[in-house]
Each structure stands twice: as C-alpha cells, then as structure tokens.
Amino acid sequence: MAISVATPFSPNHQPFCFPSSSTQFLKIHHFHNQRFIPRIPFSSFRNNNPLPETECPVPLDQQPVNEFKALSDSFPFSWASGDLVEYCSRLFATGLAFALFVGLPVNLFGSAGPIPEPLKPFLGAVSGGLIVVTLSVVRMYLGWAYVGNRLLSATVEYEETGWYDGQIWVKTPEVLARDRLLGSFSVKPVLSRLKNTLVVLATSLLVCVVVFVNIENGQTDSYIPSEEAGGRSVPGVYDDESARSFEPDAFCGGEPADP
C-alpha cells in the first residue's frame, strides 16, 4: 500500500508514492481565485480504530492524527482551515456583531458625561470588535500550533490513566511520515494564515489608537480658558453663568467679583 500525494509543484500534478501500510490520500487543490488548505480523508479513523500494524499504545484521543481531526471539526478552529473568503467573512461578522451590540452601546451610554466628539464612540466600538477578533485568532493559533508540534514531532507524549503516568512513544517510520506530511501540507498553511491575520489586526488597532490620540489632543487644545466672563470660562465645561446658578453665594450681588 502507499500514500498517494498530489502536489501542485509538478507540471502535470503527477502523484508520487510513499510507502505505508495504510492507504491515505492527501490532495492539494488549487483554485484560481481562492486559497484552499488541503485535508486528508479520515475513513480509516471513522470507527476510531488505531493502526493495527503499529500497535500504538497511545490512547485514541491523544494520537496526533485524531487530535488534528478533532481540531479541524471544532469551533472556531475549523474556520482557519476552510476557504479564505469564508474565513475572513466569519471573522468580520464576529467583530462587527460585537462592535454593534456591545461596543457601541457601552461607548454611547456608559460614559459619565456628554461626549463632544461623535467619532470617539465609533472608534471605541471598532477597537472592541478588533480586540475580540484578535483574541479569537490568538486562541486558534495556539490550538493549531500545539497540534502541529505534535504531528511534526518524532515522539508522542501521552497519559494512560492520569497525569501521574506520563509515557513517551516513538513513532514508527510509517506513522512519522504520515504525520509530517499532514503537518507540512495542512497545519503549516493554517498557521501562516493566522499569522497574517494577526498582523492585519494589529495594524488596524494601531490605526484606531493613533486616530483616538489625535482626537484627544484636539479636544485638549480646544479647552483653553476664554478671556470672556472674567477669564473663568472653559467651553463645554465651566462658565460663570452655570456657576452662579449652583453657587449664588460665591458672587457678590449676583455679579462676578472684580479681579
């Protein structure tokens, strides 16, 4: 039996064979207008049966290939291994939903006083959505990196009954070749996609911070005490008329005292 691998590096996409005792097919599909991260079928693991020829002592749920399958089917890790357009749309929908339903109401109604600049609540909502998406991508990256290291490693650390009886099993050449093919062609592209996503999110957050700081500096410059009303007026914050209404005793005869 052999592992048939179709790669896009050969001119006619001719497969090459690698010896193995179980047949698995790893196909890398190339589309003109989309990026698709390949997967291998798991028909041999559909019944949760270990490879009989390896006599692997590792429990099924701790075998790297089964960990990869579980991660590929779980939420939200499956987003990173799917179609690029679908992956981006799901991240965008997640950030937009958080910004509209959580970030924007908090910034509009959670402040202690009136907000003179209407752009600040919008920036706060967008920043909150970006932070939530960033945390989600970081969580996906950590999960995929862990499985990738397990696949590319020549040994498997596992526990039979609990944390106190940890064991190490050296992979056979067939299992090592299968796992490294899976890690190289399916996990590494996912990690690369997640890294690029984190760079874009970090840049977007930096832009939001720069704009917010510029708005704050502009508002600070506008709070310059006016020479009107005895030099005790700050636009939007304090003037003698509002002070007289709350503290009439502080003024002589209802008029501001001469300096």
Side-chain angles (χ1 to χ4, degrees):
M1 308 298 289
I3 295 178
S4 178
V5 182
T7 64
F9 307 106
S10 57
N12 299 323
H13 289 221
Q14 296 295 330
F16 65 90
C17 296
F18 196 93
S20 177
S21 56
S22 63
T23 303
Q24 296 292 337
F25 296 94
L26 175 62
K27 296 180 179 180
I28 299 179
H29 302 278
H30 174 74
F31 297 93
H32 293 289
N33 296 322
Q34 73 179 30
R35 293 173 56 189
F36 181 81
I37 296 177
R39 294 186 182 181
I40 66 172
F42 289 91
S43 58
S44 298
F45 306 95
R46 191 169 299 169
N47 297 325
N48 292 330
N49 294 323
L51 296 177
E53 69 278 5
T54 61
E55 298 180 356
C56 178
V58 183
L60 292 176
D61 59 340
Q62 299 183 40
Q63 293 181 12
V65 67
N66 290 329
E67 290 178 334
F68 170 80
K69 182 180 184 299
L71 194 71
S72 300
D73 298 334
S74 62
F75 170 87
F77 301 97
S78 59
W79 296 2
S81 60
D83 176 52
L84 179 62
V85 176
E86 184 178 2
Y87 164 73
C88 295
S89 62
R90 286 178 174 177
L91 292 182
F92 178 79
T94 301
L96 181 63
F98 185 87
L100 291 179
F101 297 108
V102 179
L104 192 59
V106 168
N107 284 274
L108 285 176
F109 307 108
S111 58
I115 301 178
E117 177 56 54
L119 189 59
K120 291 175 65 176
F122 174 77
L123 285 175
V126 171
S127 300
L130 289 174
I131 291 175
V132 170
V133 175
T134 301
L135 294 177
S136 301
V137 175
V138 169
R139 180 67 185 92
M140 286 188 282
Y141 180 85
L142 294 177
W144 280 103
Y146 171 77
V147 172
N149 291 333
R150 298 266 292 176
L151 288 170
L152 297 175
S153 177
T155 60
V156 178
E157 297 182 3
Y158 67 97
E159 300 171 0
E160 292 182 338
T161 58
W163 60 270
Y164 49 84
D165 60 351
Q167 305 289 335
I168 296 179
W169 176 67
V170 180
K171 297 179 182 178
T172 63
E174 294 82 3
V175 174
L176 180 61
R178 180 202 62 193
D179 288 356
R180 286 187 173 177
L181 283 173
L182 187 62
S184 298
F185 289 103
S186 292
V187 177
K188 284 186 176 180
V190 173
L191 294 177
S192 178
R193 173 183 290 182
L194 293 173
K195 288 179 181 179
N196 295 334
T197 304
L198 289 175
V199 171
V200 174
L201 291 172
T203 304
S204 302
L205 280 173
L206 181 61
V207 171
C208 290
V209 170
V210 171
V211 175
F212 190 86
V213 170
N214 289 334
I215 293 176
E216 286 290 334
N217 292 336
Q219 289 183 352
T220 302
D221 295 339
S222 65
Y223 291 156
I224 299 177
S226 174
E227 296 298 328
E228 301 177 357
R232 292 180 292 179
S233 175
V234 179
V237 178
Y238 168 85
D239 56 27
D240 282 348
E241 183 179 356
S242 61
R244 187 180 296 109
S245 63
F246 289 100
E247 297 178 334
D249 297 338
F251 298 89
C252 297
E255 297 295 334
D258 294 334

